[in-house]
Amino acid sequence: MQQSFVYEAQPARVVFGSATSARLPEEVERLGLQRVLVLCTPQQTSLARRIQSLLGERAVAVFSGATMHTPVDVTERALAVVREQKIDGVVAVGGGSTTGLGKAIALRTDLPQIVLPTTYAGSEMTPILGQTENGLKTTQRSPKVLPEVVIYDVDLTLSLPAAGSATSALNAMAHAVEALYAPDTNPIISLMAEKGIRAIVSALPRVIRKTDDPDARYELLMGAWLCACCLGATTMGLHHKLCHTLGGLFDLPHAETHAIVLPYALAYNAAEVPTAMTHLRRAMNTDNPVQALLQLERQCSIPLALRDVGMPHEGVATAVAQVMANPYRNPRALGQRALSELLERAWSGSGID
């Protein structure tokens, strides 16, 4: 059957492989940057200092205050450094928290960005920025937040612990799962999503068994990149709305929240998205993608319930009200009772019948 569609590729230069961090100086020079600010979280300051050393005089400062959900007050502190140091570009080293801060700076200043991911979060491939202020996380899309260059260095992921690798990879997988049934999905997205999910399902158990396996890490990073591209080219639905809401309200860990919610959100929509489920069955080599997801998560020994990552039980009603007040488009209509049941199950980790 013929299908008319629109596919809009996101502009980005990607450098992929092992030891590719060494190419950072030439990428900085190619962009004509002279006064670079290196961004990181407090936990990755030593890595940021190594990157600063690699760039020499061009890296004039390190800002190590990046944190989850991109709080607006953190962005303001980083912008003060940008102004004081006359920064002309940023290098973000780390996961989604650091990438988010670089995007927030770019939104306000239009400064060029180079990202060196150390996780599988995928934010570097999307024109989406989520920011948190006063307990409310909001998202927006703008081409201004897209990094100019992404350097994927498999070596930077080798030290990521097993649990962190699992939750980050499942976060990436959620991008592709939801893209398969987005209202603006298309055959190109479906190809990338199926390939990305298959790579993650294949590589993740190997990484859990042996975290420094370079071949498994390579495949996992490639899969995460493909999944992120899917999110960058489509709109978000219930899964991302729930995770953004929960993260903003309760400051829950980003990747863990995505991993926990994913099978429950998929089960909620499954009956309405038969084509997406066909792609998932092929990608995961299973007749029941929802149960296969739950089984994969059990194998990874990660938190399986929202209560285990800090969500209070009384927060279920608050989260449902906020989702219903400003929903994302979704294949299945949102109902308060059904959403409450979904979140109750995800909160307790009771699984899906």
Side-chain angles (χ1 to χ4, degrees):
M1 181 180 69
Q2 294 186 0
Q3 177 183 355
S4 298
F5 63 91
V6 174
Y7 172 68
E8 185 173 351
Q10 304 296 342
R13 175 178 170 88
V14 174
V15 180
F16 193 102
S18 296
T20 48
S21 296
R23 296 180 59 177
L24 176 60
E26 66 185 82
E27 295 299 326
V28 168
E29 184 174 0
R30 191 181 65 83
L31 292 175
L33 306 180
Q34 300 296 324
R35 299 185 62 80
V36 169
L37 176 63
V38 180
L39 306 174
C40 67
T41 62
Q43 295 79 15
Q44 293 187 302
T45 302
S46 59
L47 175 57
R49 294 293 182 192
R50 295 209 310 269
I51 295 299
Q52 184 183 31
S53 176
L54 188 64
L55 290 175
E57 294 181 354
R58 291 178 188 258
V60 299
V62 171
F63 181 86
S64 60
T67 190
M68 288 190 307
H69 309 304
T70 320
V72 171
D73 63 314
V74 173
T75 301
E76 292 299 329
R77 295 206 307 271
L79 286 169
V81 178
V82 168
R83 292 188 292 267
E84 292 164 5
Q85 297 292 336
K86 297 181 172 57
I87 298 299
D88 62 3
V90 297
V91 172
V93 185
S97 297
T98 308
T99 304
L101 177 58
K103 293 165 86 169
I105 292 171
L107 180 68
R108 294 159 173 82
T109 64
D110 212 19
L111 289 177
Q113 305 171 74
I114 300 176
V115 180
L116 289 85
T118 60
T119 72
Y120 307 108
S123 176
E124 66 280 351
M125 280 292 123
T126 78
I128 303 164
L129 172 62
Q131 302 179 100
T132 304
E133 188 172 20
N134 299 322
L136 179 65
K137 186 168 185 177
T138 58
T139 61
Q140 58 181 296
R141 300 179 75 102
S142 170
K144 290 178 67 175
V145 307
L146 277 169
E148 278 69 18
V149 179
V150 178
I151 300 177
Y152 286 111
D153 187 343
V154 175
D155 297 349
L156 293 182
T157 69
L158 292 176
S159 61
L160 189 62
S165 299
T167 54
S168 184
L170 288 161
N171 179 15
M173 189 171 167
H175 303 331
V177 169
E178 191 148 83
L180 280 170
Y181 56 71
D184 48 359
T185 194
N186 59 66
I188 308 303
I189 294 298
S190 296
L191 286 170
M192 289 194 293
E194 192 171 325
K195 175 70 173 178
I197 292 167
R198 182 179 296 113
I200 289 174
V201 171
S202 167
L204 182 54
R206 289 149 51 204
V207 168
I208 297 301
R209 289 193 298 269
K210 189 173 186 294
T211 57
D212 61 350
D213 180 342
D215 293 332
R217 289 286 188 181
Y218 184 99
E219 185 177 357
L220 194 58
L221 189 59
M222 180 70 75
W225 173 23
L226 289 171
C227 290
C229 290
C230 296
L231 177 66
T234 58
T235 52
M236 296 178 290
L238 175 62
H239 171 87
H240 282 84
K241 181 62 182 182
L242 285 170
C243 293
H244 293 163
T245 299
L246 296 171
L249 281 173
F250 310 114
D251 197 30
L252 303 186
H254 182 85
E256 287 88 340
T257 303
H258 275 271
I260 292 167
V261 169
L262 176 58
Y264 296 94
L266 178 59
Y268 185 94
N269 283 320
E272 302 295 329
V273 291
T275 300
M277 297 303 290
T278 297
H279 286 293
L280 286 172
R281 291 186 189 101
R282 282 202 300 258
M284 301 180 71
N285 192 29
T286 180
D287 291 331
N288 193 330
V290 172
Q291 292 300 330
L293 266 173
L294 288 168
Q295 181 59 33
L296 177 60
E297 293 184 1
R298 294 187 192 103
Q299 292 173 2
C300 293
S301 299
I302 60 174
L304 300 175
L306 292 171
R307 63 181 176 181
D308 295 335
V309 295
M311 180 182 169
H313 184 250
E314 60 270 20
V316 169
T318 305
V320 169
Q322 193 171 112
V323 170
M324 293 295 294
N326 185 26
Y328 294 171
R329 290 180 64 184
N330 192 66
R332 177 182 169 186
L334 302 187
Q336 186 167 342
R337 180 176 177 180
L339 284 181
S340 296
E341 291 175 354
L342 183 163
L343 280 181
E344 286 283 357
R345 286 181 173 272
W347 182 84
S348 65
S350 60
I352 297 152
D353 298 332

